[in-house]
Amino acid sequence: MSSRIAVVPGSFDPPTLGHLDVIRRAASLYDQLHVLVVHNPGKEAMLPIAQRQSLLEQSIAESGIEGDVVVASWSMGLLVDYATDVGAGVLVKGIRSQVDVAYETPMAIVNRHLAHVETVFLLPDPAHALVSSSLVRQVASLGGDVSPYVPAAVARFLDTGARGI
C-alpha cells in the first residue's frame, strides 16, 4: 500500500489556532503531513521564516497533534516542486470565506495542471473562522492581547516583546 502524503502550505506569520485546527484535522487524514512555511513575495513578513517554523514545531508539540507531521520551509521554486519532491499528491488549504475560495481556486487548478497535485479545502472550526494572521499581526503590533487567537507558544513569544521584529 502506498502512503498518503499531503502538504499544508502557508506563510504562518504568525501561526494561529485556525492553522492548528487545519493541521490537526489534516494529520488525521493522511499518513504523513508536511506543514510547509512558505515565503509569500506579496506580503511583508512580521517574523523570519525560521522563527515561524520554530513556533509551528512548538505549537504542534504542545497541542498534542498526533501523526507523522513534518515542519519544513520552502522559499525558492514552485510549491508543487516541494510536493513532488516529498511524494505528496495533495495540498491541504484552510478556507474561511468565499474570498479565500476565489483566491485559492485558480492556484489549485494550476497546481493540478502542473504536477497532478490535488488541492483539498478544509472549512474552519467556527471559533476560528474570522481570525487571520493579518488580523493577529495588526492586534499584536498595537499592543493588544492575541492569546485567544494563537497557540500558547506564539503568545509567549509575542509577549516577550518580539512584536517589533
Side-chain angles (χ1 to χ4, degrees):
M1 180 171 107
S2 66
S3 72
R4 298 169 304 136
I5 302 171
V7 176
V8 176
S11 57
F12 303 106
D13 187 33
T16 68
L17 292 175
H19 291 134
L20 277 189
D21 176 55
V22 169
I23 293 165
R24 176 180 288 106
R25 291 187 291 132
S28 72
L29 296 172
Y30 297 96
D31 299 324
Q32 185 177 67
L33 186 68
H34 288 250
V35 178
L36 189 64
V37 180
V38 296
H39 168 69
N40 184 337
K43 294 181 181 177
E44 185 174 331
M46 177 178 78
L47 302 173
I49 286 179
Q51 186 63 58
R52 291 180 259 162
Q53 188 173 345
S54 175
L55 288 169
L56 273 169
E57 289 167 345
Q58 291 172 55
S59 298
I60 290 167
E62 290 176 6
S63 71
I65 292 174
E66 295 182 8
D68 186 0
V69 179
V70 176
V71 179
S73 64
W74 184 257
S75 59
M76 299 297 292
L78 297 171
L79 173 59
V80 292
D81 293 338
Y82 178 89
T84 301
D85 287 351
V86 299
V90 174
L91 301 175
V92 176
K93 303 277 189 108
I95 56 169
R96 296 174 308 238
S97 69
Q98 290 178 345
V99 172
D100 287 348
V101 173
Y103 178 79
E104 296 291 349
T105 298
M107 286 191 292
I109 292 167
V110 169
N111 288 334
R112 185 175 58 216
H113 175 76
L114 288 174
H116 306 289
V117 174
E118 292 292 341
T119 301
V120 172
F121 296 138
L122 291 181
L123 298 173
D125 180 309
H128 310 299
L130 300 177
V131 177
S132 67
S133 290
S134 299
L135 180 61
V136 169
R137 284 194 307 273
Q138 184 176 19
V139 171
S141 73
L142 296 171
D145 178 16
V146 297
S147 62
Y149 315 113
V150 298
V154 175
R156 285 191 307 270
F157 178 77
L158 293 175
D159 282 345
T160 64
R163 293 181 190 131
I165 289 179

